């Protein structure tokens, strides 16, 4: 009987030790992830240390607190957001080049291939390199792609070009 009891208690201690080891590993992994997350969200070393200490508040409460107080955006996201704002602010500073529409005379941007106001088409885009082509060109002069003859819009009835 004593042998059985010994085995039992040994197993019990072993079990407790394993659980303690498991919890310890879990805490270390948690702290590692919390610190890594903190480094991604802040340049401050102090914040990283604070997050590290917070991660060890039992039982996993610190990690939850960290999730609440951490900066909402990572530094990468912050950088992307700043860049996005700069790009959005761009058109205000440098207005796109415009020219008058040959049909209705309204200002249209240089890159347009069709007038958005009167629907006059005066150019098209190469399907391959996406550069502006004149309507009469059967081949793209930039990438040599065959773009085919273009049927001119009915608004401009010109004598049909024989092919
Ligand atoms: Zn127009
Ligand atoms: Zn092309």
């Amino acid at each position: 009987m004593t042998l059985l009891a010994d085995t039992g208690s040994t197993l019990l201690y072993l079990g407790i030790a394993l659980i303690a080891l498991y919890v310890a590993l879990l805490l270390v992994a948690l702290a590692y992830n919390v610190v890594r997350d903190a480094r991604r969200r802040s340049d401050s070393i102090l914040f990283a240390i604070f997050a590290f200490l917070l991660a060890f508040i039992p039982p996993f409460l610190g990690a939850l607190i960290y999730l609440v107080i951490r900066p909402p955006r990572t530094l990468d996201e912050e950088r992307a957001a700043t860049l996005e704002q700069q790009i959005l602010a761009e058109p205000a500073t440098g207005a796109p080049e415009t020219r008058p529409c040959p049909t209705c005379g309204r200002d249209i941007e240089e890159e347009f291939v069709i007038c958005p106001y009167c629907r006059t088409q005066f150019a098209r885009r190469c399907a391959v390199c996406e550069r502006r082509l004149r309507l009469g060109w059967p081949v793209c002069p930039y990438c040599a792609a065959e773009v085919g003859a273009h049927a001119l819009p009915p608004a401009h009835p010109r004598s049909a070009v024989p092919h």
Side-chain angles (χ1 to χ4, degrees), residues 89-106:
E90 204 90 322
T93 52
E97 270 187 51
T98 59
R99 62 196 172 110
C101 166
T103 305
C104 70
R106 274 186 259 206

